[in-house]
């Protein structure tokens, strides 16, 4: 253990020389304690993480969701805590627990979710629920390697591959490890702490708000820190003060009742794939800006602190374009973080008949697309749905929200079935950066991790309203995963250094 | 058998009263003999058809293709003929046989193909290679029924469901049954006859021309009748004097190297599904006319007989629109048969990420479409490919014909992979209606089936050039299947009456 400790110290010294900002990380005693503890327990920490990742966690897989919740409860109990599993009928359990601090005058909640996105195992380089350590990202030829033996340090650039590695089981392990470290070092806590772990965030948190509303005393807190999502793309710590909302819809266009032979009927029978292409293509201009009338009408302008924060965020577009093999971005020269304060309209997927070797010489009978809209502060779900429906109508489609009848198809040149996801989606939330508790979180995070990037909103959707509406709580998003973690797609992973950094950050936040 | 014969006669008498034109069918002695023979052997004829349909016939399924060829050879041998299986390396066998007529001064070939389109059995109402008789079309709730016992007549509106039922095993059984009938009735034949059955037409007949070129003496004929495709949509017999050509290509557009989270990167990272939609939508105007510059430049105008034939074809657009649940057609008010003399550009299928319940909140990494072009007389394959490629380039795409590199994707805002099918496709062919042998075929068909619809070209592609180029033969297309046979898609079927009619037509053609 002596040898490995020396190596880790050397690495830390080099980091301090190269990045003076990191010196600030030493000023927070809980973060210092967390680093020491981690350096002495790397293998044990990763073991606990691997055990958690090995439990399949797609939110509609009820038996495995229960196994996740039970395992997390055991992890909490092992720390002497008294977790409870709370849920509403047909909801997945939220694991919640308290850490009381005598004399505390405020309560801080830390949230993460243990469920993960649906997946197709065939697309993964290794089985999604057999956590696999790799020496490099799989896209760079990373190969599986064995976990180092206890006492041998992990290379912090190694990555652990599994569904949920980045999104969002890492914060759970980071919080519990931070707690171990604080206690071992005897660092004093100042606030009451609540930890809550949800099991259906990737399904859109359909029951989180009602679960909280039904258990207000369990969840009451001044501040909920939503520990989810990735840190800044230059790997700098970030804090995010809001999240875009989200709504999804499906569009189906119709040709003939059955697929027709493309020779016998080609250039006579209308092609629904072409109709769909026309409709989708018409929704944005060449720059990528949505041209649906009224789409941007409700967008609430940013305040001065928020505008300053965006202007101050490190430029990362060029690096991201290189990483992602992109030759252009939408609405250039606007940068990513400016654009994320605007709503988006995105085609998630498109399908009509078959393609490539499976294609046959037909005119498709239907064409199908799934889209999502990311809403920003001020935008209303019902109004947004209305402008989209109205736009599709204006494009000449007879719009229905269920399967059109034969006669409806005969009577209208263009028919579109437009179905918005039943629950109506999630609105955007944004916490003003000038709130005192927001300023306190910024100071604490910077004492542990050096200067942080402050963003008015994240692009993705997290269930902030579930805490804000029933509890009146303030929410701030605290990410720890790497941005290149392939969350929501195949080969999801966590970069080991992000787990180490996350432990230090959680230690600081638990003791603020 | 007496009772059933009476019923069949009654039906025939009613038909004569309702459709005086059908009386002409009685003027051809071979067709008359064929009807009598069929009425006495319905179950045996269908049995032979069912046996042939039960052999799976997708052209890349070599063992089953061989079983088809062997079975057809046996069916020919059972008639005292001496079939040969000829093929070129890696080609499927063509079954060919001769019927010599002493004193004949001309040779007429009859062609059909025994292979069928690829399929997905999950889409079929009953297994595609377990031929199933239904009392109505499956779209109208038709249910499986047992074959009637020998001597009980088939309801001519029943349908037999199986891959290949309509396209294109029916003509094989029709020809052989017609031969049985002619012989039984002692009707004299006047020409030498050649029968040829191909096993890879649905794969684009990649080897038919080279097989014929390598066996010219076996295939030499003055006229080849290509027995394929459906009769006119009002169920009237048709003769078609040409076929559109065909070429296919795949287009892939590119976004980021992997799927990206639609929240974190939505309205910053370009969406390849939107790029593809834009490209495809731009290729046609609102009427459905192709706007690719040069696309129509090589189209050869129709002659006066051909224009007259189109003008004289019964109007069927309104009926087809009702049948197909269509509220509009492309280039309205032009009718189907006018449009089929023009080239088409068709999206066969489209795919990007996943849709519906399988969708996840990503920006797709790629989008994919397969398209086909139907060419008409005068259009050149290479020139057509060139105008399409040039058009895609003009839309702002960097066009490659293999996977683009990371740097190519980084250096170009829009990248499209455009891959034309390797063999280059098939050009269109058209036999002038004023040729004496063409006029002879028209007279013969009308003597068996009453007035026929004469069309300058069919919309689909049949391998006319394979006969025309090596042999200098004239070709005319002789369809017998119902137009609503679902050929090339699931639930392919043959209407029983079309088989009966086909037998009579084949009898007339075999004795012309």
């Amino acid at each position: 253990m002596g040898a490995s400790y020396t190596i880790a110290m050397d690495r830390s010294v080099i980091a301090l020389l190269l990045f003076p900002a990191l010196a600030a990380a030493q000023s927070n005693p809980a973060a210092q304690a967390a680093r020491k503890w981690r350096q002495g327990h790397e293998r044990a920490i990763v073991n606990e993480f691997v055990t958690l990742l090995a439990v399949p966690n797609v939110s509609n897989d009820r038996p495995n969701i229960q196994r996740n919740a039970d395992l997390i409860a055991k992890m909490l109990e092992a720390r002497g805590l008294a977790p409870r599993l709370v849920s509403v009928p047909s909801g997945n359990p939220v694991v919640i627990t308290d850490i009381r601090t005598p004399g505390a005058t405020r309560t801080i909640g830390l949230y993460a979710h243990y469920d993960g996105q649906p997946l197709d195992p065939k697309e993964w380089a290794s089985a999604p629920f057999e956590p696999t350590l790799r020496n490099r990202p799989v896209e760079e030829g990373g190969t599986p390697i064995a976990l180092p033996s206890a006492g041998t340090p992990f290379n912090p650039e190694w990555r652990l591959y599994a569904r949920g590695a980045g999104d969002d089981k890492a914060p759970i392990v980071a919080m519990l490890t931070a707690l171990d470290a604080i206690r071992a070092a005897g660092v004093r806590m100042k606030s009451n702490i609540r930890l809550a772990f949800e099991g259906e965030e990737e399904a859109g948190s359909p029951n989180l708000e009602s679960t909280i509303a039904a258990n207000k005393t369990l969840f009451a807190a001044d501040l909920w820190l939503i520990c989810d999502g990735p840190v800044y793309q230059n790997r700098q710590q970030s804090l995010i003060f809001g999240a875009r909302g989200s709504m999804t819809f499906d569009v189906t266009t119709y040709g003939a009742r059955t697929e027709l032979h493309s020779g016998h009927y080609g250039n006579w029978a209308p092609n629904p794939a072409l109709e769909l292409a026309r409709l989708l293509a018409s929704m944005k201009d060449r720059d990528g800006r949505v041209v649906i009338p009224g789409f941007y009408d409700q967008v609430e302008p940013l305040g001065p602190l928020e505008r300053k924060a965006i202007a101050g965020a490190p430029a990362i577009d060029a690096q991201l374009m290189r990483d992602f093999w992109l030759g252009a971005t939408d609405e250039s020269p606007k940068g990513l973080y400016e654009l994320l304060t605007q709503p988006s309209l995105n085609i998630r997927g498109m399908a009509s008949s078959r393609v490539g070797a499976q294609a046959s010489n037909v005119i498709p009978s239907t064409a199908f697309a799934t889209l999502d809209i990311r809403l920003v502060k001020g935008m209303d779900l019902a109004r947004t749905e209305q402008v989209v429906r109205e736009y599709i109508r204006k494009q000449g489609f007879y719009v229905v929200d269920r399967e059109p009848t034969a006669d409806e198809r005969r009577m209208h040149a263009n028919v579109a079935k437009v179905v918005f996801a039943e629950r109506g989606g999630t609105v955007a939330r944004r916490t003003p950066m000038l709130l005192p508790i927001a300023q306190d979180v910024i100071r604490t995070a910077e004492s542990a991790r050096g200067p942080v990037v402050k963003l008015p909103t994240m692009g993705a959707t997290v269930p902030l309203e579930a805490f804000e509406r029933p509890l009146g709580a303030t929410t701030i998003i605290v990410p720890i995963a790497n941005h290149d973690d392939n969350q929501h797609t195949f080969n999801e992973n966590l970069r080991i250094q992000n787990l180490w950094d996350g432990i230090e950050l959680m230690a600081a936040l638990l003791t603020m």
Side-chain angles (χ1 to χ4, degrees), chain A:
Chain A
M1 202 165 119
S4 71
Y5 191 71
T6 309
I7 291 167
M9 284 299 289
D10 287 353
R11 194 182 297 125
S12 155
V13 167
I14 292 164
L16 286 174
L17 293 171
L18 290 176
F19 303 103
L22 288 181
Q26 307 304 316
S27 79
N28 185 295
Q32 286 172 331
R35 181 171 302 186
K36 243 189 203 118
W37 175 267
R38 181 267 297 173
Q39 285 167 340
H41 299 82
E42 292 192 354
R43 175 63 196 262
I45 297 164
V46 172
N47 277 353
E48 188 173 34
F49 193 22
V50 162
T51 303
L52 181 57
L53 291 171
V55 188
N57 68 341
V58 177
S59 67
N60 61 4
D61 176 2
R62 290 302 176 92
N64 276 315
I65 282 293
Q66 189 64 45
R67 288 178 59 212
N68 274 280
D70 292 343
L71 175 56
I72 293 166
K74 272 199 196 112
M75 290 160 64
L76 295 166
E77 283 162 359
R79 270 97 180 169
L81 303 173
R84 296 178 58 168
L85 270 57
V86 294
S87 59
V88 291
S90 88
N92 290 346
V94 177
V95 186
I96 183 157
T97 197
D98 255 347
I99 307 171
R100 300 268 164 85
T101 303
T105 57
R106 69 177 175 191
T107 300
I108 297 172
L110 289 90
Y111 158 98
H113 64 88
Y114 60 83
D115 66 308
Q117 278 277 317
L119 52 82
D120 179 354
K122 288 193 299 296
E123 297 179 309
W124 288 62
S126 44
F129 299 114
E130 293 172 14
T132 303
L133 191 67
R134 289 178 187 270
N135 55 358
R136 265 187 302 279
V138 81
E139 297 83 3
E140 294 169 17
T143 52
I145 52 174
L147 297 186
S149 52
T152 306
F154 281 65
N155 179 327
E157 293 301 333
W158 288 345
R159 298 192 180 205
L160 193 58
Y161 282 79
R163 172 58 87 222
D167 179 20
D168 182 38
K169 286 179 169 175
I172 303 175
V173 171
M175 290 173 204
L176 300 194
T177 304
L179 189 62
D180 295 339
I182 292 164
R183 287 167 162 183
V187 183
R188 253 197 76 233
M189 295 176 80
K190 296 195 271 299
S191 307
N192 290 317
I193 298 293
R194 299 198 136 148
L195 307 179
F197 305 117
E198 188 197 358
E200 46 195 342
E201 196 272 345
E202 298 298 356
S205 297
N207 303 298
L208 183 59
E209 184 169 345
S210 57
T211 306
I212 292 174
N215 297 279
K216 282 190 191 177
T217 49
L218 286 179
F219 285 92
D222 302 282
L223 172 71
W224 271 98
L225 298 172
I226 309 300
C227 303
D228 195 4
V231 300
Y232 208 69
Q233 284 90 343
N234 68 352
R235 308 213 184 282
Q236 201 177 341
Q237 183 61 52
S238 50
L239 292 172
I240 306 131
F241 293 81
R244 291 201 286 193
S246 173
M247 60 199 297
T248 68
F249 63 103
D250 293 327
V251 179
T252 311
T253 55
Y254 297 86
R257 64 188 293 196
T258 57
E259 294 181 348
L260 295 179
H261 189 292
S262 69
H264 293 307
Y265 298 103
N267 71 329
W268 177 83
N271 187 315
L274 181 65
E275 295 300 330
L276 182 67
R278 267 186 192 136
L279 174 63
L280 298 177
S282 78
M283 289 179 169
K284 289 187 163 188
D285 66 18
R286 302 296 305 191
D287 287 337
R289 192 151 171 95
V290 179
V291 298
I292 296 173
F295 188 77
Y296 296 101
D297 283 1
Q298 296 182 306
V299 173
E300 196 172 287
L302 297 178
L305 263 189
E306 281 72 16
R307 283 205 303 277
K308 196 180 144 203
I310 285 174
I316 45 139
D317 287 53
Q319 180 206 322
L320 285 181
M321 288 174 72
R322 270 195 309 278
D323 289 352
F324 292 154
W325 300 0
L326 289 176
T329 55
D330 286 351
E331 292 195 59
S332 176
K334 287 182 189 165
L336 174 62
Y337 286 100
E338 180 176 356
L339 290 171
L340 294 186
T341 67
Q342 293 290 309
S344 76
L345 174 70
N346 173 58
I347 304 169
R348 288 184 169 190
M350 212 162 59
S352 183
S353 290
R354 300 156 301 282
V355 297
Q358 279 69 50
S360 51
N361 48 1
V362 295
I363 305 166
S365 173
T366 59
F368 196 92
T370 296
L371 293 94
D372 62 31
I373 292 172
R374 299 286 170 169
L375 303 105
V376 298
K377 185 146 188 176
M379 288 173 81
D380 175 79
L381 296 165
R383 163 81 181 145
T384 303
E385 173 171 342
Q386 187 197 333
V387 300
V388 169
R389 281 190 184 282
E390 192 51 35
Y391 176 78
I392 297 174
R393 229 173 256 123
K394 286 266 169 67
Q395 298 312 298
F397 287 90
Y398 174 75
V399 176
V400 290
D401 55 9
R402 34 87 206 146
E403 203 56 23
T405 65
D407 277 341
E408 283 174 321
R409 288 168 67 171
R410 288 188 186 110
M411 284 167 62
H412 300 279
N414 298 306
V415 177
K417 181 170 73 172
V418 180
V419 180
F420 279 75
E422 222 172 289
R423 279 175 308 96
T426 308
V427 297
R429 294 274 165 177
R430 207 158 69 210
T431 293
M433 287 185 189
L434 46 66
L435 289 186
I437 201 163
Q439 291 294 318
D440 198 2
V441 170
I442 293 171
R443 272 192 305 275
T444 302
E446 296 198 323
S447 74
R449 301 271 300 113
V452 305
V453 180
K454 297 168 279 293
L455 298 170
T457 185
M458 84 192 302
T461 306
V462 284
L464 305 179
E465 63 180 353
F467 295 94
E468 297 199 1
R469 229 163 12 198
L471 304 174
T474 296
T475 58
I476 296 173
I477 298 166
V478 181
I480 68 168
N482 39 303
H483 72 282
D484 50 0
D485 67 348
N486 293 335
Q487 69 171 76
H488 289 210
T489 181
F490 46 92
N491 295 332
E492 180 176 347
N493 64 83
L494 189 79
R495 177 175 162 264
I496 294 296
Q497 183 62 44
N498 282 69
L499 182 58
W500 299 166
D501 292 344
I503 295 167
E504 295 173 28
L505 178 63
M506 292 302 150
L509 294 169
L510 288 170
T511 54
M512 76 177 258

